[in-house]
Amino acid sequence: MAYAKPNQRIRDKQRRVVDLIMRVWVKSSGVGIIAALMLICFYLLAVIAPIFTSVSVEPLSQYNVSYHDNTLAIGSDEQGKMAYRIDDTGRVEFIDLINKKLVSEQQIIKNATAFTSTIESQDWFAFGDDKGQVQFAQIGFQTNYSKGNRQLIPLVEKFAPFPVIKVDEKQQALTQLALSLTATEGVILAKTQDERLLGVELDSVVNQMTGETVWEAVPITFEQAGLDKIDVLLSMVITPNNDFLYLLYQHELQVWMLKDHQANLRERIPLKESAQKLTLLSGAHSVLVQFENGILSQWFDTISDEKRRLTPIRTFDFGAPILQLSPEVYRKGVSVIDEKGNLSLIHTTTEKRLYRQHLFNDEVLAVTQPPNAEKLIVLTPKGWECFEVTNPHPEVSVQSVFGQIWYEGYPEPAYIWQSTAANDDFESKFSLMPLAFGTLKAAFYALIFAGPIAIGSAIYTAYFMSANVRRYVKPTIEIMEALPTVIIGLLAGIWLAPIVENNLVAVFSLFVFFPLSMIIIAFIWHILPAHIMRKLPRGQHAILLIPALIGIGYLTFQYGYLIESWLFDGDLRHFLGDRGVGYDQRNALVVGIAMGAAIIPTIYTIAEDAIFSVPKHLSEGSLALGATQWQTLTKVVLLTASPGIFSAVMMGLGRAVGETMIVLMATGNTPIMDGNILEGMRTLAANIAIEMPESEMGSTHFRMLFLAAFLLFVFTFFVNSLAEWIRQGLREKYRSL
């Protein structure tokens, strides 16, 4: 019996140890990669999840106090720590909701017969008296810091230029008021005891000599045809820009235009149901109409046939008459309390009912939400009740992310991404559909450009080209993949885009002339005598195409204007514009060329390796049986290499979908859904790169960008899984070859 030598046993033991180490290392690396992908996925989901969580309303505090007079309005500071109440005697009281005590009170006016308030962003209140006069007051809070403690100081300021404004010369008592007041202008709308509708416009004029601001009160002249008595005037509001007046009757809604102290009736809209009250939504671009049957409808202006009309957009049915309603200050949310004591939180834009619960057994006298919308303050006959509201992302729903939404000012529902704007009452639009469409659009045009070139090049170099030439061509193409995409994007945006714009006809002509010229040159080569064909070494025929294609490209750019004059009256862009086809300098054509150039090496390398790896005995056997080279290529080689070619295309698609810098620099980055190759787009990856630095941590915008990243992750996973499944199917199908 032969025994292993000591050195052999040592080497065997070392080999087993090395094998064990390598096996553990390879397995742990594979598991680590899978774990890393899972962690990325879970992290994205953790950031995204809060935007789809449900809304909660929890009792926070209660302050028992009773009032013997009627409540006209309530409000609070930014955070809902201190509230105020205005009663029908013209008095305002400030209540500390944290310490549950009365802070101060002040008499604003006596003998008030009418009351109104502006939208929350203006914070003005108006009181009408029994002599046809109006007095203004602004209620707010001043923040002071003393010894590190934050203190709220309530303030009541009267409108200094006019102690009172006489609206009615007949000195009739005012029964209804509407007000809009800014730093430079204002409008008062009043209804008198004898059913007359009056208005006063306040204008500020700066004295050029002294720089002093002088205010003037000018009566508004109403179009008499619009003042015909219909039924009882229920409610009236004025937009903050002082351009429109809305009057609500029981069965009619009127829209008035105000300009140069003249009020003209724009339209009268009949209402089928009995109306109850009119309220401006945040931003004042929409009005909310309450009906007696518990229905709330949103209306805003749309343009149809070049005419502006107030249009009913959406309705909400609460099943019982609405008792109190409070719109949010900066968002499109509304808090509604019905006569059954149910609290409902809705978001008008998304048509989403966020919350509904029975919370009140007593009558609700008034309701308000602080500007930060994190609390709900309710006044009942028993006193004040404060609720904590957790509702950070009401503007996001499945419909708003993936469906069409009818936004204010738009003629119809649409897919729109518009995340930021300059003003506070901006309505965020978070549809990911334009970004997903832009991603697929950029990838599609890149593949249209790169796919035929890369696969054709791979076929030629792997099957037809001589080994000596292939030795230089293949590494040269592969090294192109190392070129930074930021350089390609820079060249595409600064150099290529102007060339395409100035030579649009020539660029499109090349897509026809290049393939056509190759076919013509191949035909000429085919009919040449054999002794001429043998002078060029086999596998180097492509050398003939290079000078020919350069010459054709030069001639096309030099004389492309002749084609433009012949077919398009000398101006292709104008020709397309007359037919409704737009043009952007940085468009999908530029992106397709630039991104196509970037993914050609990826597709080429994998496809070329797959074709070159086809066993030689298959092609040689086919040729030995009498098949031509072309027949062998199409019937044997390409079928055998089809799994690898398909993988190459999928790898190119995956890179095109995730590409950032090229589309960021070579397009206008406009999130539109237009398949026009001459228009731009914005992709998911480019949008993340653009907007992530400006997004607020934890905001809806921030989380929506992570949702966009998650969609990219899912799409890439889906494409790779589909590609692998198809590749395995092709491999099984053609394994018999």
Side-chain angles (χ1 to χ4, degrees):
M1 184 176 180
Y3 293 95
K5 296 181 179 180
N7 291 339
Q8 181 67 32
R9 288 197 298 269
I10 293 173
R11 285 196 297 270
D12 291 343
K13 186 177 180 180
Q14 291 175 345
R15 187 181 298 112
R16 286 193 295 270
V17 172
V18 171
D19 288 346
L20 177 62
I21 293 173
M22 295 303 297
R23 189 181 304 112
V24 172
W25 179 63
V26 171
K27 287 183 178 180
S28 61
S29 298
V31 173
I33 292 173
I34 296 174
L37 292 175
M38 299 268 304
L39 287 174
I40 292 173
C41 182
F42 288 146
Y43 175 72
L44 292 175
L45 290 174
V47 177
I48 296 166
I51 64 178
F52 295 107
T53 54
S54 59
V55 176
S56 65
V57 178
E58 300 294 337
L60 191 61
S61 62
Q62 188 171 352
Y63 173 39
N64 295 325
V65 61
S66 60
Y67 298 103
H68 302 291
D69 39 36
N70 295 325
T71 300
L72 299 179
I74 63 173
S76 73
D77 67 303
E78 175 73 26
Q79 299 178 352
K81 295 182 177 180
M82 185 176 292
Y84 61 82
R85 171 182 174 269
I86 303 173
D87 61 30
D88 58 356
T89 65
R91 182 180 58 192
V92 57
E93 298 176 333
F94 292 91
I95 296 91
D96 187 341
L97 296 176
I98 303 298
N99 299 312
K100 302 179 182 181
K101 64 179 182 179
L102 176 66
V103 177
S104 65
E105 60 181 351
Q106 183 174 337
Q107 191 75 34
I108 300 176
I109 189 176
K110 294 182 179 181
N111 302 321
T113 59
F115 170 80
T116 190
S117 62
T118 63
I119 62 173
E120 291 279 354
S121 58
Q122 293 181 344
D123 287 332
W124 282 99
F125 299 88
F127 299 85
D129 62 17
D130 56 0
K131 296 181 180 179
Q133 301 178 127
V134 175
Q135 182 172 320
F136 302 147
Q138 189 174 34
I139 299 175
F141 300 89
Q142 180 179 336
T143 304
N144 285 345
Y145 290 91
S146 176
K147 298 180 180 180
N149 297 321
R150 181 176 180 269
Q151 296 179 342
L152 285 176
I153 301 176
L155 298 174
V156 178
E157 297 181 359
K158 296 184 178 181
F159 189 55
F162 299 99
V164 292
I165 297 177
K166 183 177 290 187
V167 177
D168 185 18
E169 295 295 336
K170 296 182 181 181
Q171 297 187 2
Q172 287 279 334
L174 304 180
T175 57
Q176 290 187 38
L177 284 177
L179 172 66
S180 175
L181 186 62
T182 66
T184 58
E185 58 183 355
V187 173
I188 307 169
L189 197 61
K191 179 187 172 185
T192 63
Q193 193 172 17
D194 56 357
E195 301 293 327
R196 287 178 294 120
L197 187 64
L198 303 174
V200 174
E201 189 168 353
L202 306 177
D203 296 323
S204 63
V205 180
V206 179
N207 189 316
Q208 299 298 327
M209 298 294 293
T210 63
E212 182 183 0
T213 301
V214 179
W215 286 79
E216 298 179 352
V218 182
I220 297 173
T221 303
F222 286 86
E223 180 185 349
Q224 291 301 315
L227 295 179
D228 299 335
K229 186 174 181 180
I230 307 166
D231 46 29
V232 178
L233 179 61
L234 300 174
S235 185
M236 49 188 182
V237 295
I238 308 168
T239 56
N241 56 12
N242 303 323
D243 288 340
F244 294 98
L245 315 175
Y246 298 98
L247 305 182
L248 180 67
Y249 297 86
Q250 190 171 18
H251 292 285
E252 183 175 282
L253 175 60
Q254 294 183 357
V255 182
W256 293 70
M257 296 180 64
L258 182 60
K259 186 177 182 181
D260 298 330
H261 316 302
Q262 298 284 331
N264 298 308
L265 182 63
R266 193 188 76 178
E267 57 183 314
R268 311 173 78 144
I269 305 169
L271 303 174
K272 296 180 180 180
E273 306 291 340
S274 297
Q276 186 179 25
K277 189 178 179 182
L278 195 64
T279 309
L280 284 175
L281 191 61
S282 171
H285 300 295
S286 296
V287 290
L288 300 175
V289 181
Q290 298 174 221
F291 293 94
E292 293 180 355
N293 58 2
I295 290 178
L296 179 69
S297 64
Q298 180 188 7
W299 301 60
F300 56 73
D301 277 354
T302 60
I303 298 177
S304 177
D305 299 328
E306 299 183 356
K307 188 175 181 180
R308 188 180 294 272
R309 294 183 177 88
L310 188 65
T311 307
I313 304 301
R314 49 184 68 96
T315 60
F316 302 88
D317 189 356
F318 297 96
I322 297 172
L323 187 62
Q324 298 292 339
L325 181 147
S326 176
E328 293 186 18
V329 178
Y330 299 118
R331 303 185 304 194
K332 303 301 178 181
V334 181
S335 301
V336 178
I337 300 175
D338 59 38
E339 288 188 352
K340 295 181 179 179
N342 298 314
L343 169 65
S344 299
L345 302 182
I346 63 172
H347 191 269
T348 55
T349 302
T350 60
E351 303 183 44
K352 186 178 178 183
R353 190 184 293 263
L354 306 169
Y355 179 87
R356 182 177 174 84
Q357 187 70 35
H358 178 78
L359 294 180
F360 308 101
N361 295 318
D362 298 317
E363 179 187 5
V364 176
L365 304 177
V367 61
T368 186
Q369 280 191 277
N372 65 6
E374 294 180 358
K375 291 181 181 178
L376 185 72
I377 301 172
V378 177
L379 182 62
T380 68
K382 293 182 179 179
W384 298 84
E385 294 185 39
C386 187
F387 297 86
E388 183 179 14
V389 179
T390 304
N391 183 23
H393 312 289
E395 61 271 55
V396 178
S397 66
V398 175
Q399 177 66 18
S400 67
V401 174
F402 300 107
Q404 290 182 316
I405 297 293
W406 200 337
Y407 295 102
E408 292 176 339
Y410 286 80
E412 60 185 9
Y415 300 104
I416 301 173
W417 173 275
Q418 190 179 1
S419 56
T420 55
N423 54 338
D424 291 334
D425 56 19
F426 165 72
E427 183 179 16
S428 299
K429 305 167 184 66
F430 290 122
S431 175
L432 291 179
M433 294 303 293
L435 307 180
F437 180 86
T439 302
L440 296 177
K441 178 181 177 180
F444 172 76
Y445 286 119
L447 280 181
I448 288 294
F449 177 81
I453 296 176
I455 295 175
S457 302
I459 292 172
Y460 186 79
T461 55
Y463 188 72
F464 294 104
M465 186 175 286
S466 64
N468 291 333
V469 179
R470 180 179 179 272
R471 189 180 301 116
Y472 297 101
V473 172
K474 189 173 186 293
T476 302
I477 297 177
E478 290 176 344
I479 205 171
M480 289 171 54
E481 196 165 8
L483 186 65
T485 55
V486 66
I487 302 298
I488 299 176
L490 181 65
L491 292 175
I494 295 179
W495 174 73
L496 180 60
I499 291 177
V500 172
E501 181 182 20
N502 297 327
N503 303 275
L504 191 57
V505 173
V507 171
F508 280 116
S509 299
L510 288 178
F511 289 101
V512 178
F513 291 161
F514 273 168
L516 185 61
S517 62
M518 292 180 188
I519 295 173
I520 293 173
I521 293 171
F523 178 75
I524 294 174
W525 176 260
H526 181 70
I527 63 176
L528 288 177
H531 68 278
I532 297 178
M533 297 174 62
R534 284 195 293 267
K535 291 183 178 180
L536 189 66
R538 183 176 178 82
Q540 300 183 12
H541 309 91
I543 297 175
L544 294 174
L545 287 175
I546 296 175
L549 294 180
I550 293 175
I552 290 169
Y554 175 79
L555 292 175
T556 303
F557 273 84
Q558 286 295 315
Y559 298 102
Y561 69 92
L562 297 176
I563 302 175
E564 192 168 18
S565 300
W566 175 41
L567 296 177
F568 308 109
D569 298 327
D571 192 341
L572 176 58
R573 290 181 58 184
H574 188 269
F575 178 85
L576 295 174
D578 290 341
R579 286 153 181 80
V581 180
Y583 181 87
D584 288 337
Q585 185 189 61
R586 300 184 180 186
N587 49 50
L589 177 60
V590 175
V591 171
I593 296 173
M595 193 188 297
I599 66 175
I600 279 176
T602 301
I603 300 176
Y604 167 83
T605 301
I606 301 174
E608 204 273 348
D609 288 339
I611 296 170
F612 190 78
S613 299
V614 174
K616 295 298 182 182
H617 68 269
L618 294 178
S619 57
E620 292 173 355
S622 175
L623 294 172
L625 292 173
T628 64
Q629 279 193 317
W630 184 254
Q631 290 173 329
T632 301
L633 173 68
T634 56
K635 302 297 183 180
V636 178
V637 176
L638 291 184
L639 293 180
T640 307
S642 58
I645 296 174
F646 183 79
S647 296
V649 174
M650 289 297 102
M651 288 293 291
L653 176 62
R655 180 174 177 186
V657 167
E659 179 55 48
T660 304
M661 295 310 301
I662 294 177
V663 292
L664 183 65
M665 304 176 73
T667 70
N669 286 300
T670 305
I672 57 175
M673 296 187 66
D674 191 341
N676 180 9
I677 194 173
L678 301 178
E679 292 278 5
M681 82 289 286
R682 178 182 288 192
T683 65
L684 289 166
N687 187 70
I688 295 170
I690 292 171
E691 298 191 6
M692 185 60 79
E694 67 184 31
S695 64
E696 179 185 355
M697 179 74 73
S699 65
T700 303
H701 182 203
F702 177 82
R703 298 184 189 278
M704 286 301 300
L705 294 177
F706 273 82
L707 179 58
F710 181 72
L711 285 181
L712 273 177
F713 183 89
V714 171
F715 181 80
T716 304
F717 178 81
F718 174 77
V719 168
N720 290 338
S721 300
L722 179 64
E724 181 62 21
W725 179 69
I726 296 177
R727 189 179 70 85
Q728 292 293 343
L730 292 173
R731 175 177 292 179
E732 290 294 329
K733 182 176 181 180
Y734 298 113
R735 176 175 293 178
S736 59
L737 294 176

